[in-house]
Amino acid sequence: MPDLNTQNVNAAFLKVEYAVRGELAIKAEKYREMLKTDEGRKELPFDRVVSSNIGNPQQKGLDQKPLTFGRQVAALLEYPPLMESGKDLFPADAIARAKELYEEIGSIGAYSHSQGVPFIRKHVAEFIEKRDGYPANPNHIFLTAGASFGVDLLLDLLISSKNSGILIPIPQYPLYTASIARHSGVPVSYYLDESKGWSTDPAEVERAILKGQADGVELKALVVINPGNPTGGVIAEDIAEDLIRLCEKYGLVLLADEVYQDNLHEREKHGFTSFKKLVRKLDSNIPLVSFHSISKGVTGECGRRGGYFELTNVSEEVVALVYKMVSVGLCPPLGGQVGVDCLVRPPKEGEPSYQLWKDETTAIHNALAKRSKIMTERLNALPGMSCAPALGALYLYPKIELLPKQIEAAKKIGKAPDMLYALELLDETGICAIPGSGFGQKEGEGHFRLTCLCDGVEEYVDKLETFHRKFHAKYGPAGQ
């Protein structure tokens, strides 16, 4: 009888690690199930699990409300007769949008063009041109099942041998190390500067490039995450231009993960500028791939799986090759494609849905910025903890002092010291956070990532503060 075991499967699968959905998330789900029973509620020292491990705004317990306009358009396309029978229930502009999309798509239960509905790709191109002031080609835009699909596809394209290297920021979103491992490539780390708000230093990037070359790695691409995940750092224009010049100098493809481009807490001081805009401004010929998604921003439609990537300065032969590969999967989810259309074409001022859309998006922006500020101030007041303010994205990434007894206890159970912290935090409070060892960090450091999505932030941080002081007393020097 044929045997399937871990010794005869693709060895690359065994090397993949994805911290945000790993041991802690699995344990949190176990606790969530326990809390559904009387016996489980008696056994656990908390009454709910707080899912601070992943940027999933509409998850039960976080409960960010979906934007009304996008959901109305989705509802109308799910059941087209409502476009006529629901005229008293839905605003005229939502019905008009649904009819316009239905005319192009037909039933969302059918396959679309493998690259995404051409009509929607045209709107993405218009969005990019309006944002950047430079034209975009709809034929070089690919709609995807979230940005993650596009990232994995492009890494698969670029990693041509086991010696292919991809430069990634540390800390980074674990998607990158997971995909690089899956495709048997080499991650080459450059470190963000925590002392300067997790800024990107071009000199540090060049150091990593030269080290990679000295190690004999064939460097293929530079990954930038802007705004940063897990750090919330925003890359300034002059720094971004220096990174583009480095890609020119060393012949690198630039992979720009820009899914948090609308999550800015100090928009006037620290705004977002796309790498596409700067590549065109500098008249650079570097190959650039830019990613965006409906999962983040204020849309938060993670489960609908919608996103896109744009290819800039990429030959038609490679565009055709990418098309061939996406066609193997037939098409991205139609619900996600509709979500992308609503992302890049929100209601306009003067239309019936505009004021509600404006009120909803403003409330989400304000809530995220307020929570981020409160959490940063209170975390920085704790002993043995420091937290750089986040300028964007959905997270904070505080640093924790690693205590000698903590290091010793973690070693005994085969865990990283900050993983021990995160495990005990979950066991005692129900807060699920991901340790810095899952994102990458310098030797001897400890961090953890928290989302700023949790409502009732005061109670949430109260629990974290109480835990941290107990943890510090438990593992710190006697009398500390």
Side-chain angles (χ1 to χ4, degrees):
M1 181 176 178
D3 181 32
L4 181 63
N5 57 61
T6 56
Q7 303 304 309
N8 60 19
V9 297
N10 185 340
F13 277 41
L14 304 178
K15 298 177 183 177
V16 171
E17 294 184 9
Y18 192 55
V20 297
R21 291 284 191 173
E23 178 182 355
L24 284 154
I26 293 168
K27 194 173 191 181
E29 194 56 40
K30 174 188 171 185
Y31 286 159
R32 191 174 280 111
E33 289 300 312
M34 288 176 65
L35 287 170
K36 293 179 180 178
T37 68
D38 290 338
E39 185 178 341
R41 285 191 290 272
K42 291 175 184 176
E43 185 176 341
L44 296 173
F46 48 84
D47 57 8
R48 72 181 183 119
V49 172
V50 179
S51 300
S52 196
N53 59 303
I54 194 166
N56 188 17
Q58 295 180 31
Q59 182 174 346
K60 189 174 181 180
L62 300 182
D63 303 322
Q64 178 177 301
K65 293 182 179 179
L67 300 181
T68 302
F69 180 76
R71 284 300 182 90
Q72 289 173 332
V73 173
L76 290 161
L77 285 165
E78 285 286 348
Y79 190 64
L82 284 174
M83 295 179 205
E84 297 302 326
S85 64
K87 288 181 178 178
D88 293 333
L89 297 174
F90 294 89
D93 54 343
I95 293 174
R97 175 70 61 87
K99 285 183 175 180
E100 184 183 37
L101 288 168
Y102 188 74
E103 185 67 27
E104 292 289 333
I105 299 169
S107 171
I108 62 170
Y111 292 133
S112 75
H113 190 290
S114 293
Q115 199 169 335
V117 174
F119 188 63
I120 297 176
R121 284 189 282 118
K122 173 176 169 285
H123 295 147
V124 174
E126 291 169 352
F127 163 80
I128 293 169
E129 181 171 356
K130 181 180 179 182
R131 182 194 67 192
D132 296 340
Y134 295 94
N137 183 348
N139 294 325
H140 291 176
I141 292 166
F142 289 75
L143 304 186
T144 54
S148 298
F149 176 90
V151 168
D152 186 70
L153 174 67
L154 267 295
L155 289 173
D156 193 9
L157 175 78
L158 290 166
I159 296 172
S160 56
S161 76
K162 291 185 177 181
N163 197 42
S164 296
I166 307 294
L167 288 144
I168 57 172
I170 297 296
Q172 52 91 39
Y173 181 52
L175 165 67
Y176 290 94
T177 45
S179 291
I180 292 167
R182 181 183 170 211
H183 301 302
S184 301
V186 181
V188 178
S189 303
Y190 66 91
Y191 291 90
L192 304 179
D193 189 342
E194 184 171 9
S195 69
K196 297 179 180 177
W198 295 111
S199 63
T200 303
D201 181 359
E204 164 62 14
V205 176
E206 188 161 29
R207 178 207 61 78
I209 292 171
L210 294 174
K211 184 180 185 302
Q213 290 179 336
D215 292 342
V217 177
E218 183 189 6
L219 296 172
K220 293 294 196 73
L222 169 65
V223 172
V224 291
I225 307 175
N226 185 39
N229 177 7
T231 65
V234 175
I235 299 176
E237 282 192 30
D238 59 333
I239 299 297
E241 290 179 1
D242 287 345
L243 296 176
I244 291 168
R245 295 304 188 199
L246 282 176
C247 289
E248 291 175 346
K249 182 177 179 180
Y250 293 102
L252 300 171
V253 177
L254 182 56
L255 302 178
D257 181 336
E258 298 174 336
V259 301
Y260 296 99
Q261 63 186 259
D262 197 33
N263 291 119
L264 300 169
H265 304 327
E266 299 178 33
R267 197 175 296 264
E268 298 305 316
K269 290 184 187 176
H270 303 284
F272 169 80
T273 302
S274 75
F275 275 88
K276 164 71 178 295
K277 179 177 181 176
L278 297 176
V279 163
R280 289 295 187 233
K281 172 189 168 186
L282 296 173
D283 197 25
S284 175
N285 62 359
I286 66 161
L288 167 68
V289 188
S290 306
F291 304 92
H292 198 9
S293 170
I294 66 171
S295 299
K296 311 305 177 186
V298 291
T299 307
E301 295 280 10
C302 301
R304 290 186 179 270
R305 309 311 301 135
Y308 71 82
F309 63 85
E310 180 191 18
L311 301 174
T312 303
N313 294 333
V314 174
S315 71
E316 292 298 333
E317 291 80 9
V318 173
V319 173
L321 190 61
V322 172
Y323 174 78
K324 179 175 72 172
M325 294 309 297
V326 299
S327 68
V328 173
L330 296 174
C331 75
L334 266 295
Q337 294 189 56
V338 170
V340 170
D341 192 81
C342 293
L343 170 72
V344 300
R345 279 205 303 163
K348 296 177 182 177
E349 192 167 2
E351 294 179 342
S353 297
Y354 174 78
Q355 193 56 54
L356 177 58
W357 173 85
K358 183 68 174 174
D359 291 344
E360 289 174 338
T361 56
T362 299
I364 294 170
H365 281 304
N366 290 344
L368 287 169
K370 181 180 178 181
R371 290 179 201 141
S372 179
K373 185 174 185 292
I374 291 172
M375 290 170 68
T376 300
E377 289 173 351
R378 292 184 63 177
L379 294 176
N380 275 321
L382 291 172
M385 186 179 293
S386 61
C387 184
L391 301 177
L394 305 175
Y395 317 100
L396 289 173
Y397 195 62
K399 182 178 183 178
I400 52 173
E401 175 188 0
L402 299 183
L403 305 165
K405 292 179 184 177
Q406 174 189 0
I407 295 170
E408 184 181 341
K411 189 175 181 180
K412 286 180 180 178
I413 62 172
K415 303 291 184 186
D418 54 5
M419 181 62 162
L420 174 69
Y421 183 95
L423 283 166
E424 293 197 12
L425 175 66
L426 175 60
D427 291 342
E428 295 187 26
T429 69
I431 297 172
C432 183
I434 304 301
S437 47
F439 296 92
Q441 57 196 346
K442 292 179 179 177
E443 188 70 28
E445 291 188 346
H447 296 82
F448 63 102
R449 188 189 78 166
L450 294 165
T451 73
C452 301
L453 293 164
C454 306
D455 202 5
V457 66
E458 297 286 356
E459 178 189 358
Y460 166 48
V461 180
D462 282 347
K463 289 183 178 180
L464 201 160
E465 285 179 343
T466 301
F467 164 79
H468 180 80
R469 293 184 189 279
K470 286 173 59 181
F471 187 92
H472 219 256
K474 177 180 179 182
Y475 291 106
Q480 182 170 315

